[in-house]
Amino acid sequence: MRYWNAGPPSYRWMELLAKRQSNGQPVGTYFARAYAYVSIAVYDATIAAANSKQQYARPRPSQADPRIRTRVNLPANSSYPSDYSATAAAAAEVLAYLVPAEATYFRQLAEEAGKSRLYAGVEYPSDYFAGLELGRRVAAHVIARAQADGSGAVWTGTVPTGPCRCTGVNPGNITAAQWRPLLLTSPSEFRPTPPPPCDSVPVRTELAEVRDFPRSLTTANLLTNARALYWQTPEGIFPWAYLQLNQWVLEDRLEDHPAFAARAYALLGAVGYDAFIASQDGKFAYWYPRPAQLDPQVTPLFPAPNFPAYPSNHSTLSSARAEMLAYLFPQRAEAIRALAKEAGDSRIWAGIHFPMDNEAGVTLGRQVASKFIAWAREDGAVRP
């Protein structure tokens, strides 16, 4: 009861997803896709349950029998159906689709989450069963959408050759440039302008900046090296933004506002998904090389990913999600934008990106976020 009722219905499921990636556990083939579909299922289940609660207005068990002592605070909304069960079933079914080897585990968690409300004395068994059924039906719709997004495509092309081209084999995430976005009209809607020729004066200047950045293992370089390494960990690559949001959900007591919490998770997941697609579109439109591919004297702090440099994924994803979080929690805008900037800058500190990759990513991420924020302003939500 204490575990599952520590926050709103969405909290533990998004925490579970973030912790799985941080710990190196599977979340599906593509992490941005997992967060988008799980959070969307959780949000839709939350809204669907709220709609039914309003329609049926069923009193809580303790309101029908004062002898029932509840183990958690009595919710202000009605009892039927259980929003905790609906959220749990929706999340568990999408996770089972993404990680089928652990389907039984996720479904067992969903049953445990829903039953925690029975044990707490705030719901009837019929609330629990109706919530599970509702969540599963929501998940079926989300999974159908996921199955049609193009993420199962297999790349059969070849890496282009010639000057100013990224080299390597089996480039990562290349098919994402053709996925079906959630809100963007196409992956290329905000495609960055072409980068300058790799032998131009601006690029030579940036190459020298990356090459000469101090990253030897000395005390003087400890901070930038440590932060660059953090942003390359599984946590720093993506779930860090969810860990920030999880903290704010608890600090702001959003267990009393489950719809707002679920909306925040879903908007963060959706903007991250489309930003990822847009970033991959730019990368594979230009196939721009990494700094060390132009100058072997560049010694990165760790190996660069096996895909093109321009624009930076870290900068695109971090700026897009920071802008969304700044919209949702304006009192924390300065802090979250500072974190996003550090995430982008860290790729230059590590020696795997040019400053122009960072700048193009920041611009792209903000453009994607602006479209989602404009949509969110018209969705009828009221901030608590």
Side-chain angles (χ1 to χ4, degrees), residues 302-317:
F302 44 77
N306 67 326
F307 42 78
Y310 180 92
S312 163
N313 272 344
H314 254 55
S315 297
T316 304
L317 289 166

Side-chain angles (χ1 to χ4, degrees), residues 25 30 138 185 274 289 361 365:
Q25 296 173 284
Y30 301 100
V138 168
T185 57
D274 274 18

Side-chain angles (χ1 to χ4, degrees), residues 223-232 301-302 346-347 349-350:
L223 180 58
T224 52
N225 282 348
R227 296 311 294 166
L229 288 169
Y230 167 76
W231 289 110
Q232 183 61 12
L301 195 60
F302 44 77
S346 75
R347 312 309 266 177
W349 303 341

Side-chain angles (χ1 to χ4, degrees), residues 76-275:
N77 56 12
S78 59
S79 184
Y80 182 88
S82 167
D83 49 356
Y84 278 78
S85 295
T87 295
E93 291 303 313
V94 175
L95 284 166
Y97 157 71
L98 294 168
V99 191
E102 297 185 60
T104 299
Y105 166 68
F106 295 129
R107 289 167 179 150
Q108 288 173 343
L109 283 183
E111 293 177 4
E112 180 183 289
K115 287 179 179 177
S116 75
R117 305 295 279 178
L118 302 182
Y119 305 150
V122 295
E123 289 177 355
Y124 294 96
S126 53
D127 302 334
Y128 162 75
F129 287 113
L132 288 182
E133 176 61 20
L134 176 59
R136 289 166 184 156
R137 291 170 66 184
V138 168
H141 282 275
V142 174
I143 291 168
R145 168 60 171 77
Q147 290 171 331
D149 67 6
S151 62
V154 177
W155 186 61
T156 58
T158 57
V159 176
T161 59
C164 297
R165 293 289 190 178
C166 180
T167 59
V169 296
N170 299 322
N173 305 323
I174 189 169
T175 62
Q178 303 301 322
W179 291 357
R180 176 186 169 194
L182 294 168
L183 190 58
L184 299 185
T185 57
S186 73
S188 61
E189 181 176 352
F190 297 116
R191 180 181 290 174
T193 57
C198 63
D199 58 354
S200 63
V201 172
V203 175
R204 289 201 300 269
T205 300
E206 291 199 2
L207 186 58
E209 178 183 341
V210 175
R211 182 187 62 235
D212 297 338
F213 187 87
R215 57 183 67 92
S216 59
L217 297 179
T218 64
T219 303
N221 306 331
L222 182 61
L223 180 58
T224 52
N225 282 348
R227 296 311 294 166
L229 288 169
Y230 167 76
W231 289 110
Q232 183 61 12
T233 64
E235 180 179 301
I237 287 175
F238 201 79
W240 68 271
Y242 278 88
L243 297 177
Q244 288 291 312
L245 178 52
N246 287 345
Q247 179 180 330
W248 299 347
V249 163
L250 294 185
E251 289 177 351
D252 289 3
R253 301 296 305 272
L254 291 182
E255 66 270 22
D256 297 329
H257 305 282
F260 183 83
R263 176 176 178 263
Y265 286 123
L267 287 171
L268 186 63
V271 77
Y273 178 77
D274 274 18

Side-chain angles (χ1 to χ4, degrees), residues 34-100:
Y35 287 85
Y37 291 130
V38 172
S39 62
I40 288 170
V42 163
Y43 174 66
D44 280 2
T46 300
I47 297 304
N51 176 270
S52 294
K53 284 177 178 293
Q54 185 176 24
Q55 179 175 350
Y56 296 118
R58 184 185 204 178
R60 298 280 175 176
S62 61
Q63 294 171 316
D65 185 347
R67 292 173 297 177
I68 296 175
R69 297 178 60 188
T70 62
R71 297 282 184 163
V72 298
N73 292 335
L74 189 67
N77 56 12
S78 59
S79 184
Y80 182 88
S82 167
D83 49 356
Y84 278 78
S85 295
T87 295
E93 291 303 313
V94 175
L95 284 166
Y97 157 71
L98 294 168
V99 191

